[in-house]
């Protein structure tokens, strides 16, 4: 099957990504030439947006495969909306993920204008799958803006067919329906062992460890918590668990293995078996064994959102920690507006600088765990 457009093949395993509506002025002014596509799932900015967010999320077969999905997705979304709205109310009324992604994109654009002015002016776009600005809207906006080069930069450090892969399917469907794109693409689809990422997580862990009383500091158990996946997805070969484990391993090496640690998983939905152990189960188990101090690390998230601010901070650190008799359950900071997103442009500069374009005369389907994406032949 042919896919319209052009793709720059820059990295082993790179894939295509989707975009969203323009959100920053170009640094140098004038018509943007190169777009940076900030790919993420998004989040409702206010409680009134929650139902639409959930409807899109549960309708995505790549993320959550359901039988009779077309009929079940709106029912599940309607049923869960009041509960999720209450959770967003508890963290201030909406998700901050758009704010953080805009700050990250702005930092990258400004740095790129200094490093590689010949490929500018630069413009970042937000590519959200389930909240505005949506992927499909961004692709149209990019074309309207006259973009000639685009770098798709996933905000998921570890690749999964249910996250980055979902956006691959979205951009593929867009180009099947809109075959006349002239944009040349480069892709950064994963960065689980990036030195800057490892350094930031290490720094945030070290900073948070200092918040424990000195007499308790050596007793702290570090729990790396990542969004879980259904085992049926993992069993089909999704690389996500391995890549998350690689990030954890690199961070612990950087820390010097100063504390005991465990990788665990959160945000399980539905009755199917998912990756285990669940984060709350591990906290309970540690309490039963007499451990009183835990540091949670959101190892698969670049920005604060409902899973860090409510699930980790409120449900686990505050409510669960208190109920099982923990002395302290704290959380390391997310990347948010960390200088990482400025510094990473140095190490990713080959992807941003490349003008090598590979035409795609022939493509084959690759069966992803939860959908069909396209890869270069």
């Amino acid at each position: 099957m042919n896919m319209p457009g052009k793709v720059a093949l820059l990295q082993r395993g790179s894939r295509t990504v989707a975009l969203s509506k323009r959100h920053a002025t170009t640094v140098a002014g004038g018509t943007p030439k190169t777009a940076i596509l900030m790919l993420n799932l998004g989040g409702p900015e206010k409680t009134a947006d929650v139902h639409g967010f959930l409807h899109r999320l549960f309708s995505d077969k790549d993320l959550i495969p359901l039988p009779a999905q077309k009929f079940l997705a709106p029912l599940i979304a309607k049923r869960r909306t009041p509960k999720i709205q209450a959770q967003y109310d508890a963290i201030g009324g909406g998700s901050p993920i758009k704010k953080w992604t805009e700050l990250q994109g702005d930092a990258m654009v400004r740095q790129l204008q200094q490093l590689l002015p010949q490929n500018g002016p630069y413009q970042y776009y937000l590519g959200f799958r389930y909240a505005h600005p949506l992927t499909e809207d961004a692709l149209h906006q990019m074309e309207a803006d006259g973009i000639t080069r685009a770098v798709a930069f996933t905000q998921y450090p570890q690749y999964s067919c249910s996250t980055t892969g979902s956006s691959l399917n979205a951009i593929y469907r867009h180009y099947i329906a809109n075959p006349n794109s002239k944009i040349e693409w480069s892709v950064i689809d994963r960065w689980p062992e990036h030195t800057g990422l490892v350094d930031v997580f290490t720094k945030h862990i070290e900073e948070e460890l200092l918040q424990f009383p000195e007499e308790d500091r050596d007793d702290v158990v570090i729990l790396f918590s990542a969004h879980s996946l259904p085992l049926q997805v993992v069993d089909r070969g999704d690389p996500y668990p391995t890549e998350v484990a690689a990030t954890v391993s690199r961070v612990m090496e950087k820390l010097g293995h100063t504390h005991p640690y465990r990788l665990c998983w959160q945000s399980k939905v539905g009755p199917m078996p998912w990756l285990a152990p669940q984060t709350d189960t591990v906290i309970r188990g540690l309490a039963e064994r007499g451990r009183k101090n835990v540091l949670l690390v959101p190892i698969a998230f670049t920005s604060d959102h409902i899973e860090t601010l409510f699930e980790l901070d409120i449900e686990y650190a505050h409510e669960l920690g208190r109920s099982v008799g923990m002395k302290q359950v704290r959380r390391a900071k997310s990347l948010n507006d960390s200088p990482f997103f400025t510094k990473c442009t140095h190490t990713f500069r080959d992807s941003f600088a490349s003008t090598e374009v590979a035409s795609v005369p022939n493509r084959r389907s690759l069966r992803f765990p939860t959908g069909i994406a396209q890869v270069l032949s």
Side-chain angles (χ1 to χ4, degrees):
M1 182 180 294
N2 293 331
M3 177 175 174
K6 300 176 179 179
V7 179
L9 182 57
L10 298 174
Q11 296 180 326
R12 180 176 68 84
S14 290
R15 310 285 191 270
T16 338
V17 188
L19 313 181
S20 194
K21 190 176 173 183
R22 182 173 59 184
H23 270 275
T25 56
T26 54
V27 171
T31 302
K33 178 181 176 182
T34 300
I36 313 301
L37 316 177
M38 311 293 285
L39 175 67
N40 213 323
L41 80 165
E45 292 187 83
K46 53 186 183 297
T47 55
D49 300 334
V50 168
H51 179 265
F53 173 79
L54 293 177
H55 190 185
R56 285 184 286 268
L57 186 148
F58 284 106
S59 297
D60 186 357
K61 294 181 180 180
D62 296 330
L63 183 69
I64 303 176
L66 296 170
Q69 191 142 13
K70 180 179 179 181
F71 302 100
L72 283 179
L75 296 177
I76 296 172
K78 183 178 179 179
R79 188 188 70 207
R80 289 181 61 85
T81 290
K83 177 182 177 181
I84 304 303
Q85 284 178 326
Q87 293 180 1
Y88 277 104
D89 279 336
I91 64 169
S95 173
I97 197 168
K98 180 179 173 184
K99 176 189 75 173
W100 292 125
T101 309
E102 288 176 339
L103 289 171
Q104 293 158 6
D106 186 67
M108 294 183 70
V109 163
R110 293 181 183 280
Q111 184 68 9
L112 282 168
Q113 193 61 44
Q114 295 179 22
L115 285 174
L116 300 165
Q118 67 274 20
N119 289 340
Y122 294 89
Q123 172 72 60
Y124 75 84
Y125 294 75
L126 305 188
F128 291 162
R129 288 294 289 121
Y130 313 118
H132 294 285
L134 293 169
T135 294
E136 296 77 7
D137 296 335
L139 289 165
H140 288 297
Q141 186 65 55
M142 279 179 45
E143 301 287 354
D145 288 347
I147 294 295
T148 57
R149 294 188 66 251
V151 181
F153 181 36
T154 180
Q155 299 297 282
Y156 309 104
Q158 303 90 6
Y159 182 88
S160 173
C161 297
S162 62
T163 52
T164 302
S166 175
S167 289
L168 304 187
N169 286 331
I171 199 170
Y172 175 72
R173 289 189 296 267
H174 174 84
Y175 278 127
I176 289 298
N178 302 273
N180 297 318
S181 174
K182 304 299 182 183
I183 297 175
E184 299 174 358
W185 291 79
S186 302
V187 180
I188 300 168
D189 72 335
R190 68 192 77 191
W191 30 287
E193 298 180 80
H194 188 282
T195 55
L197 179 72
V198 172
D199 288 346
V200 171
F201 273 125
T202 302
K203 178 176 180 288
H204 288 179
I205 290 170
E206 291 173 337
E207 290 174 348
E208 203 62 34
L209 283 170
L210 293 176
Q211 301 306 308
F212 287 86
E214 187 173 358
E215 64 272 17
D216 295 331
R217 210 165 289 157
D218 291 340
D219 180 59
V220 174
V221 179
I222 301 173
L223 295 187
F224 294 93
S225 187
H227 194 292
S228 191
L229 279 182
L231 286 184
Q232 70 172 21
V233 174
V234 177
D235 290 344
R236 292 176 186 170
D238 195 288
Y240 174 73
T242 302
E243 295 194 4
V244 173
T247 307
V248 171
S249 179
R250 289 292 307 280
V251 170
M252 288 308 302
E253 287 175 6
K254 185 78 174 180
L255 282 170
H257 292 275
T258 55
H259 291 75
Y261 70 98
R262 187 76 181 269
L263 171 58
C264 45
W265 310 90
Q266 64 181 90
S267 310
K268 177 181 181 293
V269 178
M272 295 190 303
W274 287 48
L275 284 168
Q278 292 291 303
T279 304
D280 56 345
T281 301
V282 174
I283 293 173
R284 290 188 180 93
L286 289 171
E288 290 172 359
R289 289 163 176 79
R291 305 308 291 258
K292 296 293 185 181
N293 296 281
V294 166
L295 175 58
L296 298 169
V297 181
I299 197 65
F301 306 123
T302 55
S303 303
D304 276 328
H305 61 303
I306 193 74
E307 293 179 38
T308 60
L309 298 174
F310 184 83
E311 191 172 2
L312 292 183
D313 291 355
I314 297 176
E315 282 192 321
Y316 297 165
H318 179 66
E319 296 176 355
L320 179 59
R322 176 179 295 179
S323 70
V324 298
M326 284 282 177
K327 189 172 181 180
Q328 284 200 73
V329 180
R330 304 185 66 89
R331 176 175 69 86
K333 293 187 297 185
S334 300
L335 272 64
N336 291 338
D337 58 348
S338 163
F340 166 79
F341 289 96
T342 299
K343 295 177 181 178
C344 75
T345 55
H346 289 271
T347 50
F348 288 148
R349 65 181 298 159
D350 288 345
S351 296
F352 291 123
S354 177
T355 55
E356 176 187 358
V357 178
S359 296
V360 189
N362 182 25
R363 301 180 70 86
R364 66 176 183 273
S365 294
L366 172 66
R367 178 68 189 180
F368 277 92
T370 55
I372 298 291
Q374 303 295 316
V375 295
L376 291 171
S377 298

